[in-house]
Amino acid sequence: MSKVTFKITLTSDPKLPYKVLSVPESTPFTAVLKFAAEEFKVPSATSAIITNAYLGVLCCVAGNVFLKHGSELRIIPRDRVGGQGD
Amino acid sequence: MDVALYLIAAAVLIVLIGFAVKIRSRTQEAQGWATGGPGATCGPRQPSMCPLEVEQPKKVGAKKQKKLEEKQAKKAQREAEMEEREERKRMHELREQERQQEDERERLMEQKQEEEERHAAEEQERREEEEYLKLKASFVVEEQGEEEQLTEDQSRNLLQEFIQHIESSKVVLLEDLASHFGMRTQDAINRLQDLLAEGSLTGVIDDRGKFISITPEELDSVARFIRQRGHVSITELAQASNSLINLQPESRSSA
């Protein structure tokens, strides 16, 4: 079973902590989000993962996300999705 | 003579009395019929059975009869209406009861359905949690840390470095520029266009994805050439530009 790697950064923290996660490519991306939220100790229900280009990641499995958006992702609080920015 | 007169008067009196009695008996019969109906037994032969009405005015005329009939009819109609009203009320109550029973049944059904949906949702959640825990076992955190933040000085210098790099390179591929500074290509193009607009940089972006940095002095020299020649073709201008504009990077030109 091949794996893909994502570097996920918590951008809501000024220190910009990141974690490099290695997950099987067939993993549903919702599980990756949940795991990343648990690792960063933020609630998964109110978090979302976006790319560096501020695109929301809505795709299905980890392999497809890696192919479409690359490995550099960000996790943000959900109320910031689609916001105007600071 | 007198005796004859007396006898005649007596006979006349007797006839008159008999006539009066006859009329009286007929009147009594008529009264009895009006109040007692066919069974009335009040008559001249049984005067003790007569009700007191017999003593009222004697005939029941057609008008009165009609009035009595109308009264009876109205009474019957009133009773029928009351009966109908009672019936309607009963039906309404019955329907109301049935409706309430129906509502109660529907409410119970909805409650049951909601309960089932809730159970199904809980079951689904539990299954998803189990699946997630199974998947989690295969997840690995390979590395973790904190991103390096640029200091204020570093961020100020970055722009100068950006401009310096372009000016010294003279001809630079936009993609190379973006990767050199860790930006997206489109972001690099946007920055470049902003710098061109505010005058921090002078040059042209060609249609092959390159930026050629031209100093103001070189631009002036090209302008002077065109003014001197007056009438100049594109070919001549291109040939002259090769000598007027230095396309060598600064590091190479100095070497």
Side-chain angles (χ1 to χ4, degrees):
Chain A
M1 182 175 46
S2 59
K3 287 194 163 187
V4 291
T5 308
F6 294 108
K7 181 184 174 190
I8 302 179
T9 308
L10 180 67
T11 51
S12 57
D13 188 332
K15 292 182 198 156
L16 297 178
Y18 68 87
K19 288 188 192 278
V20 178
L21 309 178
S22 176
V23 301
E25 65 172 16
S26 58
T27 309
F29 201 71
T30 46
V32 177
L33 165 63
K34 195 166 175 182
F35 183 68
E38 279 174 12
E39 288 293 313
F40 285 113
K41 296 181 183 34
V42 294
S44 61
T46 56
S47 299
I49 288 187
I50 61 172
T51 66
N52 282 347
Y54 309 104
L55 290 172
V57 177
L58 303 166
C59 198
C60 27
V61 296
N64 288 359
V65 171
F66 179 80
L67 200 63
K68 195 169 176 186
H69 301 294
S71 61
E72 302 250 342
L73 300 172
R74 303 172 181 208
I75 184 166
I76 61 167
R78 212 175 147 85
D79 60 332
R80 296 282 179 103
V81 173
Q84 292 297 316
D86 297 322
Chain B
M1 204 62 176
D2 292 334
V3 174
L5 277 173
Y6 286 134
L7 283 172
I8 292 164
V12 167
L13 271 171
I14 288 165
V15 166
L16 281 172
I17 288 166
F19 194 63
V21 165
K22 239 187 207 176
I23 288 172
R24 194 176 165 191
S25 69
R26 274 190 199 159
T27 309
Q28 278 173 0
E29 270 178 26
Q31 283 281 340
W33 181 80
T35 55
T41 53
C42 176
R45 291 194 186 166
Q46 294 174 349
S48 57
M49 303 288 284
C50 292
L52 287 170
E53 283 89 348
V54 170
E55 294 177 12
Q56 282 178 3
K58 290 104 189 163
K59 278 189 182 174
V60 178
K63 262 193 189 171
K64 188 153 184 185
Q65 190 60 37
K66 196 176 170 187
K67 265 196 182 165
L68 283 170
E69 281 170 8
E70 279 173 9
K71 236 183 176 177
Q72 292 281 359
K74 274 190 188 162
K75 192 176 173 188
Q77 194 183 10
R78 256 203 315 275
E79 281 168 8
E81 277 175 8
M82 267 189 70
E83 188 66 36
E84 200 187 321
R85 220 176 293 146
E86 288 297 314
E87 183 64 26
R88 253 189 275 140
K89 195 174 169 187
R90 265 199 305 276
M91 290 305 294
H92 178 75
E93 278 170 12
L94 201 64
R95 271 197 297 268
E96 193 63 34
Q97 219 172 7
E98 280 174 11
R99 197 181 57 78
Q100 277 173 359
Q101 280 172 359
E102 188 65 33
D103 286 346
E104 186 64 26
R105 262 199 304 271
E106 273 179 23
R107 196 181 59 80
L108 286 169
M109 260 181 68
E110 271 175 24
Q111 225 173 16
K112 196 175 166 190
Q113 210 170 2
E114 274 172 23
E115 194 70 28
E116 279 172 12
E117 280 172 9
R118 202 168 49 81
H119 281 308
E122 278 171 10
E123 187 62 32
Q124 172 78 0
E125 222 176 281
R126 195 181 55 78
R127 260 186 273 125
E128 281 174 4
E129 188 63 29
E130 273 175 21
E131 274 178 39
Y132 168 69
L133 289 170
K134 272 189 225 162
L135 288 167
K136 195 175 165 181
S138 57
F139 294 175
V140 174
V141 181
E142 288 183 355
E143 198 189 319
Q144 56 187 359
E146 289 171 5
E147 294 277 2
E148 278 177 26
Q149 287 267 47
L150 288 174
T151 61
E152 205 178 309
D153 280 341
Q154 279 175 325
S155 22
R156 217 181 294 140
N157 287 340
L158 201 60
L159 183 61
Q160 287 306 315
E161 255 185 61
F162 187 78
I163 295 170
Q164 205 64 41
H165 176 80
I166 293 168
E167 285 177 345
S168 59
S169 302
K170 291 302 273 181
V171 178
V172 61
L173 261 171
L174 294 170
E175 280 171 358
D176 288 349
L177 178 68
S179 76
H180 183 85
F181 286 93
M183 296 163 79
R184 288 168 57 232
T185 310
Q186 189 56 50
D187 288 345
I189 294 169
N190 293 341
R191 289 313 147 265
L192 207 52
Q193 283 171 340
D194 292 339
L195 290 168
L196 283 170
E198 69 183 43
S200 304
L201 272 177
T202 44
V204 291
I205 300 176
D206 85 344
D207 50 7
R208 282 179 289 179
K210 287 186 188 161
F211 176 75
I212 302 161
S213 169
I214 306 173
T215 63
E217 294 79 22
E218 286 165 344
L219 286 171
D220 283 338
S221 63
V222 170
R224 235 179 291 126
F225 173 80
I226 294 168
R227 268 190 240 116
Q228 271 171 3
R229 293 292 293 270
H231 182 210
V232 59
S233 69
I234 297 291
T235 322
E236 285 170 356
L237 184 61
Q239 278 170 355
S241 298
N242 282 334
S243 55
L244 292 170
I245 299 172
N246 176 24
L247 293 174
Q248 299 300 318
E250 270 176 21
S251 52
R252 275 185 247 167
S253 62
S254 57

